Amino acid sequence: MGATNLGARPGSTGSFRGIFLMRYFMRSAFVGALLASAPAMAEAPPVSAYGNLPDITAMDIAPDGSRLAAAMTLKGAPTVVVWDSTGKPLVALPAGEAKIRDVQWVGPGHLVVRASQTTAVPAEFRRLRYEAFGSIVLDVDKGTTKQIFEGDQSKLKLTFGHYGMRQIDGKWNLFVSGQGLDREFGNTGYVLNGRTSPGLFKIDVAAMKEKQVATGGDQGEWATWLVDAAGNVGAKLAISNQGGIWRIENSAKKKIVSGVAPDGNVDLVTLGYDGNSVIYSLAPIGSEVQWMEVPLSGGTPKPFLENVPVNRIYRHPVTGSMLGYLEDGKAFPKMADPAIEQTMQQLAASFLGRHPRLEGISPDLTKFIVHTSGNKDSGSWYLIDTVSMNANILGRDYPAISNEAVGPVRIVRYQAADGLQMDGVLTLPPGREAKTLPVVMLPHGGPYSHDTTNFDWWAQAYASRGYAVFQPNFRGSTNRDLAFQRAADGEWGRKMQSDISDGLAELAKQGIVHPRRACIVGGSYGGYAALAGVTLQKDIYKCAVAVAPVSDITDMLIKDDLSMFFGKVGRDSIDRNFGPRSTWSQVSPRDHAQQANAPILLIHGKDDSVVPIYHSTSMKAALERAGKPVELVTLDGEDHWLSTSATRQKMLEAAVAFVERHNPAD
């Protein structure tokens, strides 16, 4: 475990006894065609056009290239759609109450849908709710579905990760991690044994038969794996949560490398280009992330891609071996095959000014699914055929938002008060002069993430209403080196906060925005920053909108108990990130409610399992006791990620209306 990150999925479900509940998908007729282009619009789209979930959230291509599948939003409902290579729809399956997170082909006839639901946690655990993830296998030809581990009382009906598909003896298999149970003594039921972390299972998707192929870590350890081309466990990493002692084993269970990572920052990256080595990452305290490569047979680890900032790794979809990588700031990936790399360069040139991203690759490396977004593009999906050199558009994320309605986006660089170099993403209202504009400061969540010039529905919604929007990559953001990220240690509510207002000052200095016409808006950590902007800081913002915000640091770290799953490694990370417990109240907005100097809107999902809703209800109560203006909007059935259309619409409409009321654009 590294830094505390609110935007990440909860780190452990190993001590959870609940069962993943999901309605079966029901077969239905295909209810609509993918839109190839967006209509031209003279006026700004309604706010609802931005609040909708994207029409397409994930897509994959079958191994033989004959079929495509997508996770879509049709009439506000999450739906899995499958069609053949000619565009003929084969099936559309509504997901009911489940939230589709990903789709993955396992062979040409079976599609695996990864989905989640917010689930109540047994009373003995501190968290009231947890986001439970499960995997459902769809037999496309038969139209039947079955959940992995369904009907097996000896395992939780949960999957904790996918580790690739492999064809073994003519059969297609999916590798997932799952948690076994022990038979309860003197009873017919099963319970968690508490001794092992999730293990690795091979799932024959046609027969729906499972086989455990690797155990988890020993007691107090967590494990992860890489599966080789033959379907064997090529490498296993196990790490102790009581000191960070780690080891990597090969398929013969021989230890090939080991070490100590006190903050838990060690991970498997991928198998090497030829599949005979393993690449792993290390981030020693005070040092940059290092990638190392060691032969699976054993040997001396050597640096891999030394001093190259890697954004993404590409793997072969069937063998798992490395195909190439994308370097930060580059438009196209570096591939092992020069011919494929040349094709990627041609693709990048075709999408100049946008951000192309590979989302699916056929095993013969001739067909690619590419997603683009950015200036003049609210999100588009393409199927690229490198044999015919055709690029066919498959659909758009936001078809109601025309290219002309996308506000221009660019990077603005500035300097923090202590001299640290910063940057942020500036979105301008379409067709409006960039001069003394009202502004919405929109710090990202995480906080260990960063914003880019990709299409951002929240920023574009405000821009469409006449606001400049600035998304500062404050210290701790992940778009720079480790020193920049470590500069955030102990700086919640301090320099991380002033980095945001320093960005506002720079925009005002350039004449782009009016310094007295600013509101601050954000979600998760960004929601915390919004609250801090009008409690810990003074007279900078005219209003604040905080979505799923942390309002009290002590509650987040103790009552929410973010370290409960991570032992000493987690506690050490918290100490480094936040400093002594005696100082936490100094940067907790709830403890400074009486200092609030602008109206505040709180918005929170009732099913939030990352930042529980009491962070907002208790903040509202504290503000009301202090006689400060505050409103609270609750979202029924919503989680931390605004995963459903109706509640995301409600959030955005309330947030935009609040800013328009307290900081009008005109």
Side-chain angles (χ1 to χ4, degrees):
M1 175 183 175
T4 302
N5 214 31
L6 301 175
R9 184 164 65 86
S12 166
T13 52
S15 54
F16 172 53
R17 292 194 315 210
I19 296 176
F20 177 81
L21 301 175
M22 180 175 182
R23 295 179 180 175
Y24 275 161
F25 293 133
M26 301 298 294
R27 188 180 181 98
S28 69
F30 185 65
V31 297
L34 294 173
L35 295 176
S37 61
M41 294 185 179
E43 297 181 358
V47 172
S48 60
Y50 301 88
N52 285 326
L53 287 175
D55 274 17
I56 305 172
T57 57
M59 192 174 285
D60 196 22
I61 186 169
D64 62 358
S66 65
R67 291 169 171 175
L68 295 167
M72 300 187 66
T73 306
L74 299 179
K75 296 184 178 180
T79 306
V80 176
V81 179
V82 179
W83 64 101
D84 66 19
S85 58
T86 68
K88 176 184 176 182
L90 301 177
V91 66
L93 301 171
E97 296 179 1
K99 292 164 278 192
I100 304 172
R101 304 301 184 182
D102 197 16
V103 292
Q104 177 187 1
W105 285 100
V106 182
H110 293 85
L111 185 73
V112 176
V113 181
R114 187 155 166 78
S116 75
Q117 280 188 310
T118 308
T119 308
V121 175
E124 61 264 33
F125 298 103
R126 297 190 184 187
R127 286 183 178 272
L128 297 178
R129 294 185 178 276
Y130 194 84
E131 197 69 15
F133 284 73
S135 301
I136 297 88
V137 177
L138 163 66
D139 185 319
V140 174
D141 296 312
K142 295 179 180 178
T144 58
T145 59
K146 187 172 182 180
Q147 185 175 331
I148 290 176
F149 301 133
E150 179 187 349
D152 187 344
Q153 296 183 25
S154 67
K155 298 177 185 66
L156 290 179
K157 309 303 185 287
L158 305 171
T159 51
F160 302 101
H162 286 191
Y163 293 84
M165 64 168 171
R166 302 289 183 268
Q167 189 175 24
I168 305 169
D169 297 329
K171 298 178 180 179
W172 287 97
N173 294 268
L174 174 71
F175 290 82
V176 303
S177 58
Q179 179 66 59
L181 303 172
D182 280 351
R183 186 175 292 278
E184 193 172 15
F185 180 75
N187 203 325
T188 58
Y190 289 82
V191 295
L192 280 172
N193 58 40
R195 295 188 299 273
T196 60
S197 60
L200 183 67
F201 292 82
K202 179 177 70 174
I203 311 296
D204 179 337
V205 293
M208 285 304 291
K209 293 182 178 179
E210 65 193 50
K211 178 182 179 181
Q212 185 165 359
V213 295
T215 60
D218 297 331
Q219 187 170 9
E221 288 185 332
W222 287 93
T224 187
W225 311 266
L226 293 172
V227 179
D228 66 19
N232 301 312
V233 178
K236 172 184 174 179
L237 166 68
I239 181 170
S240 166
N241 61 16
Q242 297 297 330
I245 299 171
W246 61 269
R247 67 187 183 279
I248 296 176
E249 301 172 351
N250 62 15
S251 58
K253 299 184 179 180
K254 173 188 174 183
K255 182 171 66 177
I256 56 176
V257 64
S258 62
V260 179
D263 57 358
N265 282 334
V266 58
D267 201 3
L268 297 178
V269 177
T270 185
L271 296 176
Y273 286 112
D274 60 5
N276 294 320
S277 64
V278 58
I279 298 160
Y280 61 97
S281 66
L282 282 172
I285 294 176
S287 301
E288 295 288 346
V289 175
Q290 304 169 9
W291 282 19
M292 306 297 292
E293 183 175 22
V294 62
L296 288 172
S297 58
T300 302
K302 296 180 179 179
F304 182 78
L305 298 179
E306 193 171 14
N307 299 320
V308 176
V310 178
N311 178 277
R312 194 178 189 190
I313 287 288
Y314 297 100
R315 302 176 183 86
H316 193 280
V318 174
T319 69
S321 58
M322 184 173 170
L323 293 175
Y325 62 91
L326 178 65
E327 186 176 345
D328 278 343
K330 299 293 186 181
F332 58 88
K334 179 74 173 177
M335 307 296 279
D337 186 327
I340 297 176
E341 183 171 335
Q342 184 178 10
T343 299
M344 296 298 102
Q345 292 180 19
Q346 293 170 344
L347 287 176
S350 301
F351 296 120
L352 195 63
R354 293 185 281 173
H355 295 273
R357 182 181 175 100
L358 280 180
E359 295 290 350
I361 305 173
S362 65
D364 63 0
L365 308 182
T366 63
K367 294 183 175 68
F368 302 89
I369 294 174
V370 176
H371 180 262
T372 68
S373 80
N375 279 302
K376 300 294 184 181
D377 184 1
S378 61
S380 305
W381 294 81
Y382 296 87
L383 177 62
I384 310 296
D385 188 324
T386 61
V387 176
S388 64
M389 292 307 293
N390 287 329
N392 296 317
I393 189 164
L394 299 172
R396 292 172 57 91
D397 292 345
Y398 296 93
I401 302 173
S402 68
N403 292 340
E404 292 72 23
V406 178
V409 184
R410 63 182 174 90
I411 298 293
V412 173
R413 306 189 188 281
Y414 65 102
Q415 184 172 287
D418 65 354
L420 192 61
Q421 295 300 312
M422 299 277 160
D423 66 61
V425 179
L426 175 65
T427 303
L428 294 171
R432 187 166 177 175
E433 184 182 5
K435 185 176 181 180
T436 60
L437 294 169
V439 61
V440 171
M441 302 298 289
L442 187 62
H444 59 71
Y448 306 103
S449 62
H450 67 277
D451 281 318
T452 70
T453 54
N454 285 318
F455 180 87
D456 186 296
W457 59 273
W458 205 348
Q460 289 287 341
Y462 276 112
S464 74
R465 270 50 219 163
Y467 297 92
V469 182
F470 193 60
Q471 298 167 273
N473 286 318
F474 44 81
R475 69 192 66 207
S477 299
T478 54
N479 61 324
R480 297 197 176 209
D481 60 15
L482 184 66
F484 185 82
Q485 295 174 45
R486 289 285 190 246
D489 289 352
E491 296 297 340
W492 277 53
R494 298 182 176 91
K495 290 183 179 180
M496 290 170 72
Q497 193 66 35
S498 60
D499 289 346
I500 300 169
S501 49
D502 288 343
L504 172 60
E506 176 63 26
L507 296 179
K509 178 182 176 182
Q510 294 186 24
I512 298 171
V513 306
H514 194 298
R516 307 304 299 171
R517 299 180 67 192
C519 284
I520 184 167
V521 177
S524 193
Y525 174 83
Y528 164 85
L531 293 179
V534 295
T535 56
L536 306 183
Q537 294 182 296
K538 185 177 181 180
D539 298 332
I540 298 175
Y541 305 105
K542 293 176 70 67
C543 68
V545 178
V547 181
V550 170
S551 65
D552 186 87
I553 303 298
T554 303
D555 275 359
M556 177 182 71
L557 300 178
I558 304 301
K559 186 174 180 180
D560 300 353
D561 205 358
L562 289 182
S563 65
M564 67 180 292
F565 298 120
F566 300 105
K568 184 177 183 299
V569 170
R571 291 190 293 272
D572 288 349
S573 176
I574 285 172
D575 289 344
R576 186 181 68 250
N577 292 168
F578 297 96
R581 182 174 177 178
S582 60
T583 66
W584 295 352
S585 178
Q586 298 172 14
V587 291
S588 293
R590 194 176 71 201
D591 290 340
H592 298 269
Q594 71 279 3
Q595 297 171 206
N597 51 72
I600 294 172
L601 173 63
L602 299 159
I603 305 176
H604 219 121
K606 290 184 178 180
D607 285 354
D608 194 326
S609 59
V610 178
V611 181
I613 193 172
Y614 69 76
H615 277 273
S616 283
T617 56
S618 62
M619 185 71 195
K620 178 176 182 284
L623 289 165
E624 288 177 335
R625 286 194 299 270
K628 304 296 182 177
V630 60
E631 299 175 30
L632 172 62
V633 174
T634 58
L635 307 175
D636 292 339
E638 185 53 84
D639 57 27
H640 189 67
W641 304 280
L642 298 170
S643 298
T644 59
S645 283
T647 47
R648 197 168 94 157
Q649 290 273 11
K650 183 178 179 180
M651 181 285 294
L652 187 61
E653 289 173 359
V656 170
F658 189 81
V659 170
E660 288 181 322
R661 185 162 75 248
H662 294 285
N663 185 28
D666 296 313

